[in-house]
Amino acid sequence: MHWFLVIAPFNPKPVRSSLSANKHKPWIETEYQGIVMENDNTVLLNPPLFALDKDAPLHYAGEICGFRVHNGPSGSGSVQFEAVVLDRSTGEGLVRSKEPLDCESQREHSFTIQAYDCGEGPDGVNSKKSHKATVHVRVNDVNEFSPVFVERRYEASVPEGRLFDRIVRVEALDADCSPQYSQICFYDIITPNVPFAIDNDGNIKNTEPLDSKRQRVHTFWVTAFDCGKNRAQADAQVVVTVKPSCKPGWIGWTKRVEYTPGSGSIPLFPSLHLETCEETVWNIQATVELQTGHIGKGCDRDSYSDRSVRRLCGAVRGEVDLLPPPSPAANWTSALPTLPSSDSSLVFSFNGSNHVAVVPDSVVSALSGDHFTLQLWMRRGGANIQPSATQSRGNRKEEETIVCSTVKNDDSYSHYSLSVHGCRLSLFYWPDVSAARPVKFLWKLEQVCDSEWHHLSLSVQFPSVTLYVDGVTFDPALIHDNGAIPNPAPRQRMLIGACWDNITCVCTLVKFVGGYHGLLSGVTVRPGSVEPHSVVECLYACREGLDFGDLETLGSGMKVHVNPSQSVLVLEGDDIESFNRAVQQVTYRNSLRFATPGVRPLKLTTSLRCFNEESCLSLKQLEGYLVVLQPDAPQISLSGVGPHLARPAPEFEGPRGVPLFPELRIVCSLSHAVNTAAQGMEGGALMSDAVAHTLDGCEVQPLGEELNPEREELLVDMDVVRERGLDIINTTAYIAITGAESISVYEDVLRSVRYRLARGSGRFERRFRLSCSEMNGRYTSNELTLEVNFLHSLESLYHPSHLLASQQQFLHPSHHSGELSGHTLPNPHRNSVVPGAATVIIMVCVGFLVVMVILGVFRIRSIHRRGEGSRGGAKEGSNQWDDSALTIIVNPMESYESRMGISADTEGDGEEEEEEAAESPDDASDDQRIIIKKEGRDGNARRY
């Protein structure tokens, strides 16, 4: 048997050995913390990087071939780092950065790492990966940077003589990333022998009080060190300026401020500024107060009476004075106590009980209608008495009634009452007591209870009611219906200062309730249309007060507030510089040309609010005064009337008499130039122009005895007076014409004044005095004296019947009188100088004198007929006498005493001459030589 060996080609196939199978995955820690130094790349991990595999010690399967780095949670980190295997059998690895790291750029890094084994063979087939572990790497800082100061130069200013906790703070920064090297550990002053110290925070303080006189500026250098002891690259310079000692408060305050009338507006504090001595404030408030209440009722407005001011402002006429000056025609105010007032208007006092004025029905009947304007001046409390605390804060005390009225309209009655209650003003109005329901209007006003003078103007055009307080409009705070109230009794009555107990009572005995306690003046009612707002502002707006120069120049955050009476101005702001500029623009203005001179107290109160309330400044109140100088007094000159006026007596005996001042001229020597700055003020232009051409009163007085109403009178053209709206009082002692009007109007009125005599009165002369005034009698004119001479004919004086006719009753027209609107014109000439009996005796003596003169003239004519030419030639003037119309005119320039002396001399000389003629043999028995001696105008005695 044969054996065959067949050799086939061998194709070997890999045969897996159970000993080299890769059964397990590598294992590493789940988290690693690493540190790497700045400018280095080797990361020191904790714990160290080791990868373990349970397949060890098998070759390949139990060995670690590498590590893979993946992105961290933030998506970065893997690019900058890598991991390498240091020992495949032990699985030790190393993490390192691909390039040096910069701590200042990024201080921390995070990424994940994963280990993988070598698989089942050299080609790494079937290799396995471990889980992913997180690696956190922190870059440790290296002190590579030095501190750098924020500023190279620091400046500060401090007042002298004080120690400060901090004058200035210097600051340096380090660019290193770690706190160890980035923080500044301390600062140091490298300039020796300076009175300053610096702490580790960079605060510089002085170690001793600084003296500006010894050294005004201190300059020194400081440096800084970080905690790695690196010194600053460059040192910083510190400059401290020592200021003189600072005292917080207002600087430039002038206690006395002078104002020249007509200057318009002047700044009160042109150089004033606030010094806070570096104290930081966030709010400043200054209150300027000007006290003008002492001048009159309110501010400077007492140059004219209320009636005159109404005329100047163009107010509608027709108001009815409810509290007129006591007189026979207006006696319902005679029982009320009065107080003096600087503007010549009467001030009435009410005590809240029995001081009540009952207006008569004759006056109330003219006040019907539901359209009317009620105006009054009011001051709560009596004279020099402050209102009680209960009154000023409005407790539940009863209302105080100022005016209470029920008036009759066409076919119904209306009722209203004006009352005050605490600080509230109320108007109770019932338009128709038989049908409509009452309405009550309320205003809450501080002016009602501040014990100061205020003007109230209430315009009623029902259902519309408008209230003006000192020219400012106020709307009602509440309007409500009073519900069911008994209808007032249909009886017309009006009370001032109280109201009647039961308005439904028709009884005649009235019990007063709700008495008013305070002062009232100028209470008027004008029925019909109400005053326009512009007229009310002109009437009662203040002519003087505080103002602000230019609101457009106010800085940001500044506020200005002025009260309605312009006596208080408040400034508020948060910036010192803007506030100082605003204070310097506070002005005082007075639009009156003839401002009331005197002192106005001035106060400045300041309130500061600081960030540190405990150390905030407290400034005391500053007090000063404004002095309004005496204005230039106008020189009112009366001229154009000679000292003598001689007219024949029959002209004075005519029905119109003779004008006394036909060519009167009134001239004011002051130009009254008004500052243009005042024209833009409230009410300034109207009042200033009116003052420049206005008189407010003239008076004509007979000198000596008063006018005898049976024989003489003064006549005035009443049409001119009424047309101009002037008031006139015509008595036997004087004629007073009052009212604010122009000079030309007063000239026309005074030129119409005439003097009239009764026929046969036998008067030879009368003297009158004329004077005028303006500004409520504040400035007066010269006194113009006129002597009137009456020229009588011989025939009228000779017949005794004329003497008897002069005793007959002289029909004297009724005297015209009018209200003076508060003017008080004294009459110093009330006593008669020459009694009536003496006048008759003088006239008889004068008649006897005339008879003697006539006898002498007849004797002279007889001598002429006998041809004694020599005696006729000796006469002065060589006049030929005519018997046809013999008239002797007595010299009107001679006094009564001179006439009687001449009469006595004439009679004595006549007797002597008659005796001489009897002894002369040449004289005939029926002819006598009569010598008449008379003193001529030149004082020489002449014989005829």
Side-chain angles (χ1 to χ4, degrees):
M1 167 178 210
H2 294 283
W3 295 88
F4 291 95
L5 180 64
V6 180
I7 300 174
F10 178 75
N11 186 14
K13 293 182 180 180
V15 180
R16 294 187 179 183
S17 174
S18 62
L19 297 177
S20 63
N22 192 6
K23 298 180 179 180
H24 301 92
K25 296 187 295 184
W27 177 89
I28 59 176
E29 298 286 344
T30 59
E31 186 176 24
Y32 294 91
Q33 300 292 334
I35 297 175
V36 60
M37 296 301 295
E38 189 179 19
N39 300 324
D40 195 1
N41 58 356
T42 301
V43 179
L44 300 178
L45 293 180
N46 183 24
L49 180 59
F50 283 94
L52 301 179
D53 197 321
K54 291 183 179 181
D55 293 328
L58 294 178
H59 189 54
Y60 297 114
E63 296 177 347
I64 303 301
C65 282
F67 296 92
R68 288 189 179 93
V69 178
H70 303 278
N71 291 336
S74 59
S76 62
S78 62
V79 179
Q80 299 181 9
F81 294 90
E82 62 181 359
V84 296
V85 178
L86 299 180
D87 189 343
R88 296 176 63 176
S89 60
T90 62
E92 181 182 3
L94 175 67
V95 176
R96 62 188 178 187
S97 61
K98 297 179 181 179
E99 57 185 15
L101 300 177
D102 186 7
C103 177
E104 288 73 33
S105 299
Q106 186 174 352
R107 188 177 181 183
E108 293 184 352
H109 301 267
S110 295
F111 52 90
T112 59
I113 189 171
Q114 190 177 36
Y116 61 93
D117 57 17
C118 295
E120 298 178 352
D123 55 355
V125 178
N126 198 22
S127 64
K128 294 184 179 295
K129 301 177 183 178
S130 69
H131 63 274
K132 292 181 180 180
T134 303
V135 181
H136 299 283
V137 178
R138 185 178 76 246
V139 181
N140 279 355
D141 186 26
V142 176
N143 193 10
E144 58 182 330
F145 294 102
S146 298
V148 177
F149 281 97
V150 177
E151 298 182 17
R152 295 296 304 274
R153 179 184 174 93
Y154 293 87
E155 296 182 357
S157 299
V158 293
E160 62 180 354
R162 293 173 55 187
L163 290 175
F164 297 90
D165 294 334
R166 186 179 75 176
I167 296 177
V168 65
R169 182 178 183 270
V170 298
E171 183 180 10
L173 302 177
D174 196 305
D176 290 315
C177 66
S178 64
Q180 179 181 1
Y181 301 124
S182 64
Q183 290 183 355
I184 306 300
C185 280
F186 63 94
Y187 295 87
D188 189 21
I189 297 177
I190 60 178
T191 303
N193 302 325
V194 292
F196 299 94
I198 189 170
D199 59 15
N200 292 339
D201 294 328
N203 297 315
I204 298 176
K205 65 180 181 179
N206 57 325
T207 57
E208 62 183 41
L210 304 179
D211 188 357
S212 62
K213 297 180 181 178
R214 185 173 61 184
Q215 186 173 352
R216 182 68 183 274
V217 179
H218 296 266
T219 304
F220 52 93
W221 296 84
V222 296
T223 190
F225 293 88
D226 61 17
C227 294
K229 296 185 179 180
N230 276 357
R231 182 176 172 176
Q233 292 180 353
D235 301 326
Q237 185 185 40
V238 179
V239 179
V240 178
T241 302
V242 182
K243 298 187 299 183
S245 58
C246 175
K247 185 177 181 181
W250 291 103
I251 299 176
W253 171 262
T254 302
K255 189 173 184 179
R256 175 189 172 98
V257 180
E258 291 187 354
Y259 177 80
T260 302
S263 301
S265 297
I266 64 168
L268 291 176
F269 321 112
S271 59
L272 189 65
H273 66 279
L274 181 62
E275 177 60 60
T276 60
C277 297
E278 306 299 330
E279 181 70 31
T280 304
V281 297
W282 63 272
N283 182 266
I284 314 170
Q285 181 173 309
T287 302
V288 183
E289 182 179 358
L290 180 70
Q291 299 180 11
T292 60
H294 67 285
I295 298 174
K297 296 195 292 287
C299 52
D300 196 352
R301 59 171 306 279
D302 59 337
S303 296
Y304 289 98
S305 63
D306 287 345
R307 186 181 293 265
S308 297
V309 172
R310 290 183 60 83
R311 288 180 49 77
L312 294 176
C313 290
V316 181
R317 302 174 185 175
E319 70 277 2
V320 177
D321 195 351
L322 301 182
L323 290 179
S327 65
N331 58 358
W332 66 91
T333 59
S334 58
L336 297 178
T338 59
L339 299 175
S341 175
S342 58
D343 61 356
S344 298
S345 59
L346 280 180
V347 174
F348 294 90
S349 177
F350 294 83
N351 61 2
S353 58
N354 59 341
H355 290 169
V356 180
V358 181
V359 183
D361 292 343
S362 60
V363 177
V364 180
S365 59
L367 305 178
S368 61
D370 57 356
H371 289 191
F372 63 90
T373 300
L374 174 64
Q375 298 183 350
L376 56 94
W377 283 97
M378 181 188 72
R379 176 185 170 186
R380 294 288 296 281
N384 302 324
I385 298 178
Q386 296 292 332
S388 62
T390 58
Q391 170 186 305
S392 60
R393 292 298 154 228
N395 70 335
R396 302 309 300 172
K397 188 180 177 181
E398 68 175 3
E399 291 185 342
E400 301 178 21
T401 304
I402 301 175
V403 179
C404 187
S405 172
T406 299
V407 297
K408 183 179 181 181
N409 299 322
D410 294 336
D411 53 356
S412 63
Y413 287 85
S414 62
H415 175 84
Y416 71 88
S417 63
L418 182 66
S419 306
V420 289
H421 186 196
C423 292
R424 288 177 173 85
L425 179 75
S426 65
L427 174 67
F428 179 79
Y429 187 72
W430 207 329
D432 188 349
V433 298
S434 61
R437 301 183 67 180
V439 178
K440 195 168 188 177
F441 302 84
L442 294 178
W443 294 267
K444 186 176 181 181
L445 303 169
E446 288 295 330
Q447 293 89 333
V448 176
C449 55
D450 62 358
S451 190
E452 298 291 340
W453 277 107
H454 295 283
H455 183 269
L456 274 63
S457 178
L458 196 65
S459 298
V460 178
Q461 285 182 305
F462 192 78
S464 174
V465 175
T466 305
L467 174 67
Y468 300 92
V469 180
D470 298 329
V472 179
T473 309
F474 289 88
D475 296 326
L478 178 64
I479 304 176
H480 63 79
D481 193 314
N482 278 270
I485 296 179
N487 291 353
R491 176 174 178 177
Q492 187 169 261
R493 59 165 61 125
M494 175 179 284
L495 300 181
I496 309 295
C499 197
W500 47 94
D501 186 14
N502 189 353
I503 59 176
T504 63
C505 179
V506 295
C507 50
T508 57
L509 183 59
V510 179
K511 180 182 178 181
F512 301 138
V513 294
Y516 172 74
H517 183 261
L519 304 178
L520 294 177
S521 179
V523 182
T524 62
V525 173
R526 185 174 57 79
S529 59
V530 299
E531 298 285 6
H533 187 196
S534 59
V535 173
V536 176
E537 285 185 347
C538 173
L539 285 171
Y540 307 108
C542 288
R543 310 306 174 197
E544 67 170 342
L546 299 173
D547 203 352
F548 192 81
D550 187 3
L551 293 175
E552 296 181 356
T553 61
L554 275 177
S556 60
M558 289 296 304
K559 299 178 182 178
V560 180
H561 173 72
V562 184
N563 68 334
S565 61
Q566 297 179 301
S567 61
V568 177
L569 184 145
V570 180
L571 286 174
E572 186 175 358
D574 53 10
D575 180 68
I576 293 291
E577 296 300 327
S578 300
F579 195 85
N580 288 334
R581 289 194 297 268
V583 169
Q584 294 172 4
Q585 294 192 53
V586 176
T587 61
Y588 167 80
R589 65 112 179 104
N590 195 320
S591 59
L592 292 179
R593 179 61 183 90
F594 300 105
T596 303
V599 176
R600 277 81 161 159
L602 193 63
K603 295 180 181 180
L604 176 61
T605 306
T606 310
S607 174
L608 301 178
R609 302 185 69 179
C610 310
F611 291 101
N612 186 2
E613 295 293 341
E614 296 180 356
S615 62
C616 196
L617 302 175
S618 178
L619 304 181
K620 67 177 183 179
Q621 184 183 70
L622 297 180
E623 296 184 358
Y625 53 92
L626 172 74
V627 180
V628 178
L629 303 179
Q630 185 74 33
D632 296 333
Q635 303 296 324
I636 308 172
S637 176
L638 308 180
S639 61
V641 178
H644 300 281
L645 175 64
R647 292 288 188 277
E651 295 185 16
F652 291 93
E653 297 170 355
R656 295 182 53 83
V658 175
L660 296 180
F661 316 107
E663 299 179 358
L664 175 67
R665 290 189 58 200
I666 305 176
V667 178
C668 183
S669 61
L670 193 62
S671 62
H672 296 270
V674 179
N675 191 297
T676 55
Q679 301 295 334
M681 301 172 190
E682 185 178 1
L686 177 58
M687 287 300 299
S688 297
D689 291 341
V691 169
H693 309 90
T694 301
L695 296 178
D696 62 2
C698 287
E699 185 177 280
V700 180
Q701 288 183 346
L703 300 181
E705 62 180 357
E706 295 183 4
L707 296 177
N708 187 346
E710 298 179 354
R711 300 181 180 178
E712 53 187 340
E713 66 175 341
L714 286 173
L715 304 175
V716 183
D717 191 343
M718 295 304 298
D719 293 337
V720 177
V721 175
R722 293 192 187 96
E723 180 183 355
R724 300 300 184 177
L726 299 176
D727 298 323
I728 182 171
I729 289 182
N730 190 351
T731 68
T732 60
Y734 62 92
I735 285 184
I737 304 170
T738 59
E741 261 299 350
S742 63
I743 291 178
S744 60
V745 170
Y746 269 92
E747 285 179 339
D748 294 341
V749 174
L750 292 175
R751 288 169 183 170
S752 69
V753 175
R754 296 171 174 268
Y755 178 72
R756 179 165 164 255
L757 275 175
R759 185 175 301 276
S761 60
R763 178 173 289 277
F764 290 92
E765 66 177 7
R766 168 64 88 174
R767 299 175 67 226
F768 296 94
R769 180 172 60 195
L770 171 64
S771 61
C772 294
S773 65
E774 67 173 314
M775 306 296 289
N776 204 21
R778 184 168 160 191
Y779 302 108
T780 58
S781 69
N782 61 309
E783 293 184 349
L784 187 63
T785 303
L786 175 65
E787 181 177 340
V788 181
N789 300 112
F790 314 107
L791 306 183
H792 295 274
S793 64
L794 177 63
E795 182 178 358
S796 62
L797 290 176
Y798 178 69
H799 296 285
S801 60
H802 292 290
L803 298 178
L804 298 177
S806 64
Q807 303 296 330
Q808 297 178 356
Q809 177 69 26
F810 178 49
L811 298 178
H812 194 285
S814 61
H815 297 287
H816 301 282
S817 62
E819 291 181 311
L820 279 175
S821 304
H823 290 76
T824 302
L825 299 175
N827 178 26
H829 304 287
R830 299 291 185 186
N831 299 325
S832 179
V833 176
V834 182
T839 304
V840 175
I841 295 174
I842 293 175
M843 295 177 64
V844 172
C845 294
V846 172
F848 181 76
L849 171 63
V850 174
V851 172
M852 295 300 298
V853 172
I854 293 174
L855 293 176
V857 170
F858 277 104
R859 300 290 292 182
I860 293 174
R861 291 183 60 197
S862 175
I863 295 173
H864 274 282
R865 290 177 180 177
R866 296 179 57 183
E868 294 184 10
S870 59
R871 295 185 182 272
K875 296 180 182 179
E876 291 184 8
S878 300
N879 294 327
Q880 299 296 327
W881 293 53
D882 187 6
D883 294 342
S884 60
L886 179 60
T887 300
I888 295 180
I889 303 300
V890 180
N891 184 5
M893 305 304 297
E894 296 178 357
S895 63
Y896 296 126
E897 292 80 359
S898 299
R899 295 192 187 95
M900 296 186 68
I902 294 172
S903 176
D905 293 341
T906 306
E907 293 176 9
D909 293 341
E911 293 176 356
E912 294 178 359
E913 294 298 331
E914 289 177 0
E915 294 178 357
E916 294 177 358
E919 296 177 356
S920 176
D922 300 331
D923 295 340
S925 60
D926 57 344
D927 293 331
Q928 299 271 346
R929 294 177 58 193
I930 299 178
I931 304 296
I932 299 178
K933 183 175 71 173
K934 186 174 180 63
E935 183 177 354
R937 290 179 180 268
D938 55 359
N940 298 325
R942 297 170 181 166
R943 297 172 63 89
Y944 298 92

